[in-house]
Amino acid sequence: MRFTRPRDLAAVAIIAALLSHLLLRLTYDTLPPLPLLAGSTLFVVAVVEVVFAFSLRARIHRRAGARPVQPLTAARAVALAKASSVLGALMFGAWTGVLVFVIPVRDSFPAASNDLVAAVVGMISAVALTAAALWLEHCCRTPDESSGNE
């Protein structure tokens, strides 16, 4: 299994941004305002993944008092990390598309100012999720046997 490449995440984000921007251009006047904290659930998932990553890293590196990691647990953690990083990139792109659309029309639509804040919260949460997922994926790497470190 390969580790996640930044260019793959960038491609997902760009496509999502273009599609969400296009969708908003076609339907924005019929949509309800976005909830202010709509994207914040991604931040909660990011925090959980960071905590899991530190725990898993200690176990993989066999630190004192840490239980060994079952191979299936590590494989599931990598799958979670890969899925979360793609989700984070996808949502970053989507929220970026919202932001790019909302900035110029915030004077024309009353809900656009609120949607601007929601887009910023969503973008920050999506970046946090992507970073946490990449950290979790990094923590699932086995220690280098030849170096003798940790």
Side-chain angles (χ1 to χ4, degrees):
M1 183 181 290
R2 291 183 182 163
F3 288 99
T4 305
R5 293 182 294 206
R7 72 176 183 199
D8 296 339
L9 297 179
V12 168
I14 290 168
I15 291 168
L18 292 172
L19 290 175
S20 68
H21 184 75
L22 177 64
L23 182 68
L24 288 174
R25 290 182 66 92
L26 298 173
T27 63
Y28 190 74
D29 56 345
T30 63
L31 295 174
L34 293 170
L36 187 62
L37 299 176
S40 63
T41 54
L42 299 176
F43 189 78
V44 174
V45 175
V47 170
V48 170
E49 285 193 17
V50 166
V51 170
F52 181 50
F54 279 109
S55 170
L56 194 61
R57 183 174 187 191
R59 292 173 61 192
I60 289 174
H61 289 279
R62 296 188 177 114
R63 300 245 166 86
R67 296 175 301 156
V69 177
Q70 298 294 324
L72 190 56
T73 301
R76 287 178 177 164
V78 170
L80 172 66
K82 287 184 136 327
S84 295
S85 63
V86 171
L87 174 66
L90 179 75
M91 292 309 299
F92 177 77
W95 285 115
T96 301
V98 171
L99 186 70
V100 167
F101 177 80
V102 166
I103 287 176
V105 300
R106 66 178 180 257
D107 295 331
S108 304
F109 295 101
S113 295
N114 179 58
D115 292 348
L116 177 76
V117 176
V120 170
V121 168
M123 287 175 68
I124 291 169
S125 298
V127 167
L129 178 60
T130 304
L134 292 174
W135 174 246
L136 176 59
E137 187 176 336
H138 175 76
C139 289
C140 290
R141 292 181 180 189
T142 56
D144 189 335
E145 298 293 331
S146 62
S147 70
N149 293 338
E150 300 178 309

